[in-house]
């Protein structure tokens, strides 16, 4: 993926096809980013999505206007057939499709020499195609979970129209990464890495262990905001079952004391936790070097392993034009920069170009057990971003116990593997309740569970009411200080998966 401002002449290769993605700008704004016009002279297929559609239209007559009715959410799309090359985009797809829209602007007129190939109620030009050239534009988003048949449409473009080969396999990727890591680290290089027990850091750690053995030093930092029994479970799993060289550092007081006073700024929480992680890692790196000084493993730690995934990169880094920064991930940006500049470490991110489902597939190839592979993601800042408002030991304890009950009930109901991520969050409000025949004024727990494959978009999980009532009853009965339980019905977008 490249910024839309990429100059074609600077590429050392010719693409088989080009996809122009969505973006937050309006093509008619004075400062709007535009693609290099040379791409339209390449003679390769081009697919424009949302802003990309409007960019194609802008290049062919500038017929883009602000919509009188914005279109966000699900829409019913009607495909049109012309018995020609334009049909290839909708090959083996139904004429009526459910799609996800997210736009305010729209085409004001059809560009010259283009057909209309799809419409929705509010978008008469929801899909267009050139009459003779392989140029396609769609107003909806096929790349998101909310467009159920979107992957098929993308396959039609990439494989059917662009003739791209489907020869990428996870086996080849693993072999390539192992060889790359060994060549990069060398025969004596040492690597430091953060682990949390989540699937990303576990897979990255296992890959590194496969590559260089005990010269990889995994560090688990207890920031005081872990799940119930998390550190003990992670230590047992990584050391006994996966053979990984692990050090556990209890820094809970350092984190919890430092979080005092941060009440309504989620970014401040993330940045404080990220910065404190670095402090702990830097100190631990020195201790590991000193301990190994007189052993066969003696040597300076030169590398830092991170389990960064592609959604982290997309959501955290904004070029001028293609994307807006959604949130700061603790493992994208500040952490590598300080570790590299302060400790002189070089960064290794073997999962950086993978999505969550691909990471799980890698874990299977590496022999990681199913329960670890399917474990729901747990954010680096932990429960700190699931306690809305100020983070205290008491608030963390409430959220931790409620979360444990929720996940326990999900597993007991056999639903865990059907859900991509689930957790309990503590809201910064109080509600009136009646408990033990007396009036109470206590806190509110919000439950969240979603289904997704790429974590860029997500749908809510539809529990039955008996399940939610059972969980609610247990939390109110077993968690001191809670008198209400809510279920979050917000998809992504417009919400994010985590609360903060």
């Amino acid at each position: 993926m490249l910024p839309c401002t990429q100059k074609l002449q600077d590429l050392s290769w010719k693409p088989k096809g080009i996809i122009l993605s969505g973006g937050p700008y309006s093509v008619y704004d004075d400062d709007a980013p535009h693609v290099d016009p040379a791409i339209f002279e390449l003679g390769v297929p081009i697919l424009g999505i949302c802003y990309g559609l409007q960019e194609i239209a802008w290049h062919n007559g500038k017929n883009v206007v602000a919509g009188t009715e914005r279109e966000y959410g699900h829409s019913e799309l009607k495909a049109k057939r012309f018995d020609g090359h334009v049909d290839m985009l909708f090959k083996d797809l139904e004429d009526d499709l459910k799609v996800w829209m997210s736009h305010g602007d729209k085409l004001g007129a059809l560009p010259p020499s283009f057909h209309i190939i799809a419409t929705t109620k509010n978008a008469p030009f929801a899909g267009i195609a050139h009459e003779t050239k392989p140029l396609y534009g769609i107003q909806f988003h096929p790349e998101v979970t909310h467009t159920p048949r979107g992957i098929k449409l993308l396959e039609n473009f990439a494989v059917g129209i662009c003739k791209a080969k489907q020869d990428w396999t996870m086996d080849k990727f693993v072999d390539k990464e192992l060889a790359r890591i060994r060549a990069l680290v060398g025969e004596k290089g040492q690597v430091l890495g953060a682990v949390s027990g989540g699937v990303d850091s576990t897979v990255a750690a296992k890959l590194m262990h496969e590559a260089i053995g005990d010269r990889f030093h995994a560090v688990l930092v207890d920031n005081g905001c872990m799940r119930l029994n998390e550190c003990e479970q992670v230590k047992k799993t990584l050391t006994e079952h996966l053979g990984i060289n692990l050090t556990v550092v209890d820094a809970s007081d350092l984190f919890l004391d430092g979080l005092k006073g941060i009440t309504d700024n989620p970014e401040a929480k993330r940045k404080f936790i990220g910065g404190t992680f670095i402090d702990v890692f830097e100190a631990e790196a020195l201790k590991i070097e000193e301990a190994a000084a007189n052993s066969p493993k003696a040597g300076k730690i030169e590398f830092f392993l991170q389990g960064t995934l592609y959604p982290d990169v997309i959501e955290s880094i904004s070029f001028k034009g293609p994307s807006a920064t959604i949130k700061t991930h603790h493992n994208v940006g500040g952490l590598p920069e300080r570790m590299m500049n302060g400790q002189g470490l070089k960064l290794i991110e073997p999962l950086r170009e993978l999505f969550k489902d691909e990471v799980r597939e890698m874990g299977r190839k590496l022999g990681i057990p199913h329960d670890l592979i399917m474990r729901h993601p747990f954010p680096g800042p932990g429960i700190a971003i699931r306690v809305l408002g100020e983070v205290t030991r008491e608030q963390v304890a409430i959220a931790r116990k409620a979360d444990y009950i929720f996940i326990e009930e999900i597993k007991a109901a056999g639903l865990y593997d059907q859900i991509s991520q689930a957790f309990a969050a503590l809201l910064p409000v109080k509600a009136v309740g009646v408990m033990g025949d007396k009036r109470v004024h206590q806190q509110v727990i919000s439950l969240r569970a979603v289904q997704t494959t790429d974590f860029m978009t997500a749908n809510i999980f539809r529990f039955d009411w008996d399940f939610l009532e059972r969980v609610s009853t247990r939390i109110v009965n077993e968690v001191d200080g809670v008198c209400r339980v809510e279920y979050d019905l917000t998809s992504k977008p417009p919400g994010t998966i985590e609360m903060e």
Side-chain angles (χ1 to χ4, degrees):
M1 292 184 72
L2 300 169
C4 67
T5 49
Q6 173 71 46
K7 294 298 181 185
L8 197 63
Q9 65 184 19
D10 295 335
L11 294 180
S12 60
W13 44 273
K14 179 181 177 180
K16 297 183 77 69
I18 295 170
I19 296 178
L20 304 177
S21 73
Y25 288 79
S26 294
V27 292
Y28 49 75
D29 287 344
D30 291 339
D31 61 347
H34 294 288
V35 297
D36 184 349
I39 71 165
F40 295 103
E41 308 304 322
L42 265 182
V44 302
I46 298 174
L47 172 64
I49 297 173
C50 196
Y51 185 95
L53 159 75
Q54 294 159 19
E55 182 70 1
I56 291 174
W58 194 250
H59 181 77
N60 289 273
K62 300 187 176 181
N63 294 310
V64 180
V65 297
T68 55
E69 293 184 26
R70 298 185 304 173
E71 197 169 17
Y72 296 110
H74 283 113
S75 288
E76 298 297 326
L77 184 92
K78 291 191 175 296
K80 298 180 69 175
R81 310 286 174 170
F82 285 91
D83 296 324
H85 79 280
V86 296
D87 294 337
M88 294 174 67
L89 195 63
F90 291 106
K91 186 176 184 294
D92 298 327
L93 289 171
E94 302 79 14
D95 288 347
D96 296 303
L97 297 170
K98 180 178 285 189
V99 300
W100 183 260
M101 289 284 194
S102 181
H103 68 97
D105 297 336
K106 64 180 182 180
L107 301 196
L110 191 66
S113 301
F114 276 78
H115 283 307
I116 295 173
I117 60 172
T119 61
T120 69
K121 181 179 178 181
N122 293 325
F125 307 111
I128 64 173
H130 196 277
E131 294 173 355
T132 59
K133 300 176 184 178
L135 298 179
Y136 304 84
I138 52 177
Q139 188 64 72
F140 60 94
H141 289 269
E143 75 278 13
V144 302
T145 304
H146 300 320
T147 300
R149 297 279 278 156
I151 296 300
K152 176 59 181 173
L153 185 144
L154 292 173
E155 180 187 346
N156 286 344
F157 178 74
V159 180
I161 296 173
C162 299
K163 307 302 181 185
K165 295 180 180 178
Q166 294 178 284
D167 55 5
W168 188 97
T169 67
M170 183 56 72
D171 286 324
K172 289 181 181 178
F173 183 79
V174 170
D175 291 342
K176 181 180 176 181
E177 277 302 300
L178 289 173
R180 185 182 74 87
I181 290 168
R182 288 168 184 150
L184 181 64
V185 175
E187 295 183 1
K188 295 185 178 180
Q190 309 279 322
V191 179
L192 180 70
V195 296
S196 65
V199 62
D200 304 338
S201 65
T202 298
V203 170
K206 180 62 175 175
L207 184 71
M208 188 60 64
H209 178 73
E210 289 287 315
I212 63 171
D214 282 350
R215 288 185 289 127
F216 169 57
H217 306 272
V219 177
L220 171 64
V221 175
D222 182 356
N223 64 359
C225 298
M226 308 294 278
R227 288 175 287 203
L228 192 65
N229 303 323
E230 180 86 3
C231 292
E232 296 85 349
Q233 181 182 343
V234 172
K235 183 175 182 179
K236 182 179 179 67
T237 299
L238 267 61
T239 56
E240 294 182 16
H241 299 295
L242 300 180
I244 293 171
N245 181 19
L246 175 68
T247 301
V248 179
V249 182
D250 184 358
S252 53
D253 288 339
L254 185 64
F255 283 90
L256 290 170
D257 290 343
L259 284 166
K260 288 179 180 176
I262 302 176
T263 57
D264 59 356
N265 189 336
E267 282 293 283
K269 282 185 188 179
R270 286 179 174 271
K271 288 180 178 179
F272 166 76
I273 292 171
T276 307
F277 262 118
I278 303 168
D279 295 336
V280 174
F281 280 130
E282 286 179 335
E284 199 57 37
L286 294 175
K287 291 178 184 177
I288 291 172
E289 281 184 0
E290 291 170 4
N294 298 313
S295 73
K297 293 189 292 182
K300 180 177 174 57
I301 293 178
E302 301 177 69
F303 299 91
F304 184 78
L305 172 71
Q306 277 197 160
T308 309
L309 304 191
Y310 209 38
D312 300 339
V313 178
I314 294 169
E315 290 189 340
S316 297
I317 300 175
S318 177
F319 295 96
K320 171 64 176 176
S323 64
T325 300
I326 294 172
K327 63 185 175 186
T328 299
H329 286 264
H330 77 284
N331 60 341
V332 181
L335 190 74
E337 184 178 348
R338 245 190 76 183
M339 292 298 288
M340 289 186 287
N341 295 339
Q343 199 68 13
L345 300 183
K346 304 180 188 77
L347 190 64
I348 300 179
E349 296 176 303
L351 314 181
R352 187 180 176 90
E353 295 183 356
L354 302 181
F355 288 88
K356 183 74 70 175
D357 54 331
E358 295 172 318
V359 173
R360 289 194 165 112
E361 179 62 22
M362 178 187 281
R364 294 184 187 100
K365 298 294 182 185
L366 294 171
I368 298 175
H370 175 81
D371 60 334
L372 271 179
I373 292 297
M374 296 307 297
R375 198 170 190 211
H376 293 178
F378 187 60
I383 292 173
I385 57 171
R386 294 174 178 176
V387 171
L388 280 64
E390 186 176 19
V391 178
T392 67
R393 288 166 175 79
E394 294 75 20
Q395 296 290 79
V396 170
I398 291 173
R400 178 183 287 138
K401 190 167 184 180
D403 183 79
Y404 181 82
I405 292 169
F406 187 31
I407 300 302
E408 186 177 56
E409 288 292 339
I410 287 174
K411 289 179 177 178
L415 300 174
Y416 190 82
D417 286 356
Q418 298 177 38
I419 299 170
S420 304
Q421 190 164 341
F423 60 88
L426 183 60
L427 303 184
V429 295
K430 288 188 175 182
V432 172
V434 179
M435 302 176 72
D437 294 328
K438 66 179 181 180
R439 178 187 174 98
V440 296
H441 192 220
Q442 295 183 337
Q443 295 190 261
V444 180
I445 286 288
S446 176
L447 304 178
R448 183 143 173 78
V450 298
Q451 290 178 310
T452 179
T453 54
D454 55 21
F455 286 82
M456 295 298 293
T457 61
N459 292 318
I460 61 165
F461 186 80
R462 298 176 183 272
F463 292 107
D464 63 58
W465 290 113
D466 289 341
F467 175 87
L468 289 173
E469 185 176 4
R470 184 164 64 251
V471 173
S472 175
T473 300
R474 279 198 63 190
I475 289 174
V476 170
N477 286 345
E478 299 175 35
V479 183
D480 290 339
V482 174
C483 71
R484 294 284 181 97
V485 176
E486 315 283 350
Y487 186 57
D488 187 340
L489 295 172
T490 314
S491 64
K492 176 186 180 181
T496 55
I497 293 177
E498 291 292 340
M499 290 288 198
E500 291 190 332

